[in-house]
Amino acid sequence: MTVVTTNILEFDEPTLAQVTSWYKDHISPDLARLLRLTGFGALETRAEGSWVIDQTGRRYLDFSGGYGVFSLGHRHPAVVAAVKDQLDKVAMSSRVFMNPLQAQLAAKLAEISPEGLQYSFISNSGTEAIEAALKMARLATGREKFVSTEGSYHGKTMGSLSVSGRAKYQDPFRPLLSGCETVKFNDIQALEDALTEEVAGFLLEPVQGEGGIHVATPEYLQTARRLCTERGILFIVDEVQSGLCRTGKWFAVDHAGVAPDIMTLAKSLGGGVMPIGATISNAKAAQAYKGRPLLHTSTFGGNPLASRAALASLQVMENESLARQAELSGEILKRGLTELAKEFPDLVREIRGLGLMLGMEFHEDKFGGSLIFEMVKRNVIAVYTLNQPKVIRFEPPLNVEKGEIEQALKAVRESLGETRRRLGSNK
Ligand SMILES: Cc1ncc(COP(=O)(O)O)c(C=O)c1O
């Protein structure tokens, strides 16, 4: 192969005006307008640790954490080094020979996952991890139906969308998968009624992320486990956002001592450096593919670069005790937010969550919108939950420093003060 040298690394970074016009002409004019509004015209050009840096060099403290992607912060040096090293060995898989990194990753996932979860299907995103779980549940049970919870979010491909609990994203695409039903979150009686012997799988986020940071009670999780076992249903736990140390344990289900039949991961699995998803199943679920291992596949799933990033990320999570850090920093942040909720009861209804997956619920949507706006002015990024605009979520890196938490709390306090002054409520 002739290698042509080019000056590919010597390119001028495009200006805000150029990027905006490319968005308008080649991505979506509506998205260009939206991002101009919500993103304050900032271009993300650099990122490190808990910080995102724009084209002017302005630094923003990232308390949205990419919706759970940046548990290790941005560009953790160990993950970056692992991926750079891998680039010099093999980048994408031939898919003809065995892929040792994918195999090692699957073994590591089995080691840390709840009891019995042994087999991994590696993909590239959260929604793909869910699609694999849905197909596996149908095949393993020979049944068609799925039950999930109101307000849930499992992704936007057709299958995942069918089991997500928000009509706004579903209605334009009907008909979706048939036989999908939602039940009220944390309602045991509703579960008893809905989990009939026609159901293939029950899908649950143990902490609903986009639904507004709702934590499933241990009793709910344990009942779900029991009912699924009794009625031959596969219990599918979606830990795409809550998994991998974010709630103070490896997985949110670990708080209740519950082992599902299938568990999905993505987001932080790639350490904020590579995209990757995983569907981890027990022997009962995995027997669906017995004798037909190629029935569900993915070209890029488990590629060496992403697998290497995931292995490095899991190692960092262990070495830096990120579960423990999430628990400790979560307590500090939750305490600070709870004090602010008491100071601003006219704006804030409740603080809730587990570890560093926290939500602030407002009395009205407009207060949340104002808070995000005011916080960005103060160089801190926070975001809505997708299915519940009254709730602002805080999902900073798990290795966030104490000083950064204090800085974020100061920004929240000032932003609440400004929101009260501008939108003042009499509640
Ligand atoms: C719990 C949960 N499941 C699935 C997904 C879909 O993941 P992705 O956007 O990578 O497809 C998300 C994304 O926010 C999520 O929070």
Side-chain angles (χ1 to χ4, degrees):
M1 182 172 72
T2 317
V3 177
V4 182
T5 49
T6 67
N7 63 348
I8 206 151
L9 292 180
E10 295 168 20
F11 75 107
D12 287 332
E13 287 189 358
T15 62
L16 176 62
Q18 273 173 324
V19 174
T20 307
S21 93
W22 288 332
Y23 258 89
K24 260 200 230 139
D25 297 343
H26 304 296
I27 297 180
S28 148
D30 291 324
L31 191 60
R33 215 170 304 121
L34 183 72
L35 286 176
R36 206 51 212 249
L37 211 68
T38 56
F40 280 79
L43 303 176
E44 50 186 15
T45 52
R46 303 280 184 277
E48 57 185 355
S50 303
W51 298 85
V52 178
I53 300 143
D54 77 7
Q55 74 278 20
T56 67
R58 187 170 161 187
R59 293 167 66 83
Y60 301 83
L61 186 52
D62 187 359
F63 261 56
S64 75
Y67 311 88
V69 169
F70 299 109
S71 289
L72 275 56
H74 291 264
R75 297 192 309 108
H76 191 289
V79 185
V80 171
V83 172
K84 280 185 176 168
D85 179 62
Q86 191 56 43
L87 267 174
D88 289 331
K89 292 177 174 160
V90 52
M92 293 295 129
S93 173
S94 69
R95 307 197 68 80
V96 175
F97 299 141
M98 278 204 234
N99 170 348
L101 289 162
Q102 167 164 254
Q104 196 178 341
L105 175 60
K108 182 70 193 168
L109 289 171
E111 179 194 315
I112 62 171
S113 292
E115 203 186 331
L117 296 184
Q118 183 185 347
Y119 299 101
S120 279
F121 172 75
I122 312 286
S123 55
N124 311 283
S125 65
T127 200
E128 283 175 82
I130 292 290
E131 295 289 339
L134 295 175
K135 288 175 76 176
M136 186 179 276
R138 277 202 167 168
L139 215 55
T141 61
R143 302 175 184 177
E144 185 184 310
K145 293 188 172 175
F146 290 102
V147 175
S148 56
T149 56
E150 289 170 11
S152 61
Y153 185 81
H154 299 291
K156 286 190 180 140
T157 50
M158 290 300 254
S160 305
L161 187 62
S162 305
V163 293
S164 289
R166 182 92 192 273
K168 175 180 166 185
Y169 295 113
Q170 295 176 312
D171 288 346
F173 301 102
R174 291 192 188 281
L176 295 168
L177 275 191
S178 58
C180 297
E181 183 191 343
T182 55
V183 289
K184 197 159 171 255
F185 187 80
N186 261 343
D187 181 334
I188 288 179
Q189 188 55 53
L191 208 55
E192 287 267 5
D193 298 341
L195 293 185
T196 65
E197 290 186 0
E198 287 155 12
V199 175
F202 171 53
L203 286 99
L204 181 73
E205 294 161 84
V207 182
Q208 270 195 349
E210 307 306 329
I213 313 291
H214 294 286
V215 182
T217 63
E219 194 195 358
Y220 187 68
L221 286 162
Q222 286 151 8
T223 307
R225 176 64 280 177
R226 179 178 57 77
L227 291 173
C228 286
T229 306
E230 285 171 7
R231 301 177 186 180
I233 298 163
L234 293 187
F235 186 20
I236 303 167
V237 159
D238 182 351
E239 294 254 15
V240 163
Q241 199 166 142
S242 59
L244 298 171
C245 304
R246 176 141 301 273
T247 67
K249 293 203 183 284
W250 268 121
F251 305 103
V253 281
D254 292 343
H255 291 275
V258 159
D261 298 298
I262 303 177
M263 179 170 77
T264 54
L265 301 177
K267 295 199 188 278
S268 67
L269 182 57
V273 174
M274 293 298 293
I276 184 165
T279 307
I280 312 163
S281 56
N282 62 16
K284 188 170 101 191
Q287 54 83 24
Y289 289 108
K290 194 161 184 289
R292 38 190 178 177
L294 302 182
L295 205 53
H296 185 74
T297 57
S298 157
T299 298
F300 289 129
N303 70 71
L305 287 179
S307 296
R308 185 77 190 272
L311 279 165
S313 307
L314 297 172
Q315 203 178 333
V316 169
M317 287 173 192
E318 280 178 334
N319 292 352
E320 298 185 11
S321 308
L322 289 191
R324 179 78 181 130
Q325 287 208 53
E327 186 188 356
L328 296 176
S329 297
E331 278 166 19
I332 298 172
L333 182 58
K334 196 175 192 180
R335 202 177 318 123
L337 292 172
T338 305
E339 276 162 25
L340 291 175
K342 283 188 200 139
E343 198 178 325
F344 294 89
D346 48 327
L347 304 180
V348 181
R349 173 174 288 154
E350 191 184 27
I351 304 297
R352 57 175 179 258
L354 209 53
L356 276 175
M357 191 168 178
L358 297 173
M360 175 179 260
E361 178 163 343
F362 290 89
H363 292 294
E364 294 181 47
D365 293 1
K366 65 179 182 189
F367 297 151
S370 162
L371 189 91
I372 291 175
F373 181 79
E374 292 297 331
M375 294 224 353
V376 175
K377 279 211 278 192
R378 290 164 179 78
N379 303 325
V380 182
I381 306 171
V383 287
Y384 291 118
T385 55
L386 203 59
N387 291 345
Q388 184 43 271
K390 273 199 189 97
V391 180
I392 302 302
R393 87 180 93 181
F394 299 96
E395 293 186 20
L398 307 183
N399 50 13
V400 64
E401 290 171 13
K402 199 156 174 273
E404 293 169 339
I405 297 179
E406 281 159 14
Q407 198 174 330
L409 284 169
K410 181 168 175 281
V412 178
R413 187 168 201 279
E414 289 174 8
S415 302
L416 286 170
E418 185 59 21
T419 299
R420 178 186 271 165
R421 200 185 63 70
R422 280 195 304 108
L423 303 175
S425 151
N426 317 320
K427 280 205 175 84

